[in-house]
Amino acid sequence: MERHFTPTPEELEFAHKGTRSDGARLTLLTLLKLFQMLHRFPAPDEAPPAVVRHIRIHLGIGEEVELESNDAVQLSRQHRAVRDYTSVKLWGKEARHIAVTAGYSAALVMARPADIMNAIIGALIHARYELPAFATLERILHHVHALAHRNTTKSVFRRLRSKERKALDQLLVIAVDQRRTAFEAVKKMPQRPSRKHLDNSIAHLESLESLGSESTALTGVAPTLVSEFAKQARTTDAAELKRFTAPKRYTLLLSLIHHAKARTRDAVARMLVNRVATIHKRAKDELEQRQFEQRERVDGLLDKFGKVVNIVAMVRSDAQVGKQVRGVLTATQEIGALQQECVTAQSWSGNNYLPLLWGHYKNIRPALIRAVNVLKLASMTEENPLLKAWSVLCEKSNRRRDY
């Protein structure tokens, strides 16, 4: 209240010079402060009582003084005085042109009506025009929203070749051996990450990719509009979609395909990362299990090593030491078997679980390779050694012999 509705000395002077009575002065100053906040003139009965009381205090007048709103001529004159004081122009043709231009530009990149409305209001305020009635702004909003969508769909339609249009039309037709249209399959949402769903999601993405590239036709269309068109297509059935105009129908279908590809690609990538993480976790768990299982073997080796240390410490003759050490080491098993036990213990003594990855990876290897290939990875820099290495691996992925 203090920040926004406290009149400055200049505003108080403006109110005193422009009026003769306390009621007119209260009305003029109230209109000024509300206009500065709302950028329009509210009806006198819309003035918040708290604001009126606050202004009364600063004018030094009592509660008995009321707003003067019965004289239309005086009210119009006060409106004109406030516009002149704030250098704000009256709504007119030029203001409407600014509102339509700003709204149309916003509607080309924004999907939410509230955002477009904010752009219209912001443009009018920046150009220092009084805001019209909200119904007028709503009519402008609906006009520019429809115009922007209509022009966008027409531009997409012009970029489509005849062959591409026919392919999109086939999505809305039920084939002889099918019970539903392909359009319903395109609307299918990705499932939760799992081994089974990974195969289904890869197959779904491959079927979407087989529909061709939609990026050329959607060139220049804002991502927010593509998402809005895709949302509209997802809530529409094939029969209703057929009743739309051709430009709108094709734009909705292309947007849905684009959005479905993006969502399915994200789902496949997420499942791929989860499966690789699971493979590594299982390898680590197997390493821990192997380390636990070989504790008895390690204890046996340490027991023999302890006996060897005691022999070296107690026997002075090197010949006797060698003889007794050999006896300790070969008392329960051949020396070759003991060597194998040492190698096994050393193999799993550290944290290196990488040799165990293959056992958990080999069964899912085809699906993972297929997932990476369908994602169509690309390098963000000029150097792409990983992609070159992956290309070599893919070339040899079907070979059975050891490398």
Side-chain angles (χ1 to χ4, degrees), residues 109-316:
V109 295
M110 298 177 181
R112 296 176 64 242
D115 295 334
I116 302 173
M117 179 67 79
N118 287 336
I120 295 172
I121 293 174
L124 289 172
I125 293 174
H126 180 74
R128 302 202 66 77
Y129 276 100
E130 176 187 353
L131 297 182
F134 189 75
T136 302
L137 293 176
E138 277 193 319
R139 285 194 296 271
I140 293 174
L141 169 63
H142 295 322
H143 170 69
V144 298
H145 188 267
L147 181 62
H149 281 209
R150 186 163 57 249
N151 290 343
T152 299
T153 56
K154 286 181 178 179
S155 66
V156 172
F157 180 77
R158 286 193 295 267
R159 295 190 194 101
L160 283 173
R161 297 189 297 270
S162 176
K163 181 180 179 180
E164 294 171 329
R165 295 172 190 173
K166 291 180 180 179
L168 291 174
D169 287 333
Q170 288 301 313
L171 295 177
L172 306 178
V173 178
I174 301 178
V176 177
D177 57 341
Q178 298 294 328
R179 300 180 60 183
R180 299 192 304 173
T181 63
F183 172 66
E184 295 298 326
V186 174
K187 293 198 294 183
K188 180 182 176 183
M189 299 292 288
Q191 297 172 301
R192 64 177 182 83
S194 71
R195 172 65 181 87
K196 179 181 178 181
H197 294 161
L198 175 60
D199 290 333
N200 294 338
S201 296
I202 293 173
H204 184 49
L205 182 56
E206 288 175 339
S207 67
L208 291 173
E209 294 290 354
S210 68
L211 297 176
S213 175
E214 75 292 343
S215 57
T216 302
L218 293 177
T219 301
V221 182
T224 51
L225 288 188
V226 174
S227 298
E228 181 67 19
F229 290 144
K231 182 179 178 181
Q232 185 177 351
R234 185 169 283 109
T235 57
T236 306
D237 57 30
E240 185 179 359
L241 203 58
K242 289 179 181 179
R243 294 194 290 268
F244 290 170
T245 62
K248 183 176 181 179
R249 180 171 65 252
Y250 294 138
T251 302
L252 293 185
L253 285 172
L254 289 171
S255 299
L256 177 64
I257 293 171
H258 177 82
H259 201 250
K261 284 182 180 180
R263 290 180 67 93
T264 308
R265 195 175 290 115
D266 290 343
V268 170
R270 193 160 51 247
M271 293 180 192
L272 175 63
V273 171
N274 290 345
R275 295 311 301 175
V276 171
T278 300
I279 290 172
H280 280 259
K281 183 180 182 301
R282 289 178 178 175
K284 290 179 181 178
D285 293 342
E286 183 181 352
L287 175 62
E288 293 179 358
Q289 181 63 28
R290 292 199 179 196
Q291 289 175 340
F292 177 79
E293 292 175 352
Q294 72 174 13
R295 286 180 182 175
E296 183 178 352
R297 179 184 296 111
V298 173
D299 290 342
L301 292 174
L302 289 175
D303 179 63
K304 290 183 178 182
F305 180 71
K307 291 179 180 179
V308 169
V309 171
N310 290 334
I311 292 172
V312 174
M314 297 175 60
V315 179
R316 299 297 179 185

Side-chain angles (χ1 to χ4, degrees), residues 17-48:
K17 286 183 177 181
T19 57
R20 295 180 181 179
S21 65
D22 289 341
R25 197 171 296 120
L26 176 63
T27 303
L28 179 60
L29 202 54
T30 301
L31 288 173
L32 172 63
K33 299 310 293 183
L34 291 175
F35 185 79
Q36 289 173 337
M37 286 296 298
L38 302 176
H39 302 283
R40 66 178 180 86
F41 290 109
D45 57 352
E46 291 180 355

Side-chain angles (χ1 to χ4, degrees), residues 1-2 4-8 11-12 15-16 22-37 47-63 65 67:
M1 187 71 72
E2 287 289 338
H4 298 294
F5 295 102
T6 300
T8 64
E11 292 169 346
L12 289 172
H16 280 87
D22 289 341
R25 197 171 296 120
L26 176 63
T27 303
L28 179 60
L29 202 54
T30 301
L31 288 173
L32 172 63
K33 299 310 293 183
L34 291 175
F35 185 79
Q36 289 173 337
M37 286 296 298
V51 174
V52 178
R53 285 195 301 270
H54 183 72
I55 294 176
R56 275 200 187 100
I57 294 173
H58 287 274
L59 285 174
I61 58 179
E63 293 287 337
V65 179
L67 294 173

